[in-house]
């Protein structure tokens, strides 16, 4: 096992949930950084907290688990470590919204998968804003 990957996920939902948590950890760090910079330049922090943040996730199981209230779990997720559920209580106060994204609209596939030409062109147009 590498140093980057400290645990092995047993289910796809668990792997997707861990990926969501990792991205949320980075997002919360960026939010704190922006608030710090705003305070340093004399900007009101209320202007910074009005930023609309939306996170898109393809895996429905991970998305449903993330949207549950903090003490609730699903039958399959009750075995996940408690270290994975910390961010759910931060979604509401920080006004972070989670949305499901369809597989055909997943822009990240351009960089991570070999896609067919028509799919590539469609995703490229979406990415470029055409």
């Amino acid at each position: 096992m590498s140093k980057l990957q400290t645990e092995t996920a047993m289910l796809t939902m668990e792997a997707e949930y861990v990926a969501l948590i990792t991205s949320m950890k980075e997002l919360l760090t960026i939010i704190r950084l922006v608030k710090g910079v705003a305070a340093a330049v004399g900007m009101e922090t209320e202007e910074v907290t009005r930023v609309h943040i939306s996170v898109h996730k393809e895996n429905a199981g991970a998305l449903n688990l993330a949207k549950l209230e903090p003490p609730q779990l699903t039958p399959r997720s009750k075995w996940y470590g408690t270290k994975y559920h910390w961010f759910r209580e931060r979604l509401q106060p920080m006004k972070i919204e989670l949305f499901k994204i369809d597989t055909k609209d997943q822009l990240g596939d351009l960089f991570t998968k070999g896609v067919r030409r028509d799919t590539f062109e469609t995703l490229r147009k979406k990415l470029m804003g055409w």
Side-chain angles (χ1 to χ4, degrees), residues 24 29 84 87 130:
M24 294 298 296
T29 302
Y84 295 135
F87 80 96
W130 297 344

Side-chain angles (χ1 to χ4, degrees), residues 32-105:
R32 280 194 298 272
L33 177 68
V34 168
K35 285 182 180 180
V37 170
V41 297
M43 215 173 144
E44 290 185 30
T45 56
E46 301 212 359
E47 292 178 30
V48 177
T49 56
R50 280 189 272 151
V51 175
H52 177 75
I53 300 169
S54 60
V55 177
H56 297 267
K57 192 70 185 154
E58 184 177 7
N59 187 280
L63 189 63
N64 290 337
L65 179 59
K67 288 183 175 182
L68 287 176
E69 292 297 320
Q72 296 178 336
L73 298 172
T74 64
R76 289 185 178 207
S77 68
K78 65 182 177 182
W79 306 109
Y80 298 175
T82 55
K83 66 182 179 178
Y84 295 135
H85 303 297
W86 61 269
F87 80 96
R88 294 191 299 176
E89 60 196 27
R90 289 181 174 81
L91 292 176
Q92 195 69 7
M94 299 196 86
K95 298 180 178 124
I96 299 172
E97 297 180 57
L98 298 173
F99 296 102
K100 178 154 179 29
I101 188 167
D102 196 29
T103 303
K104 67 180 187 311
D105 297 325

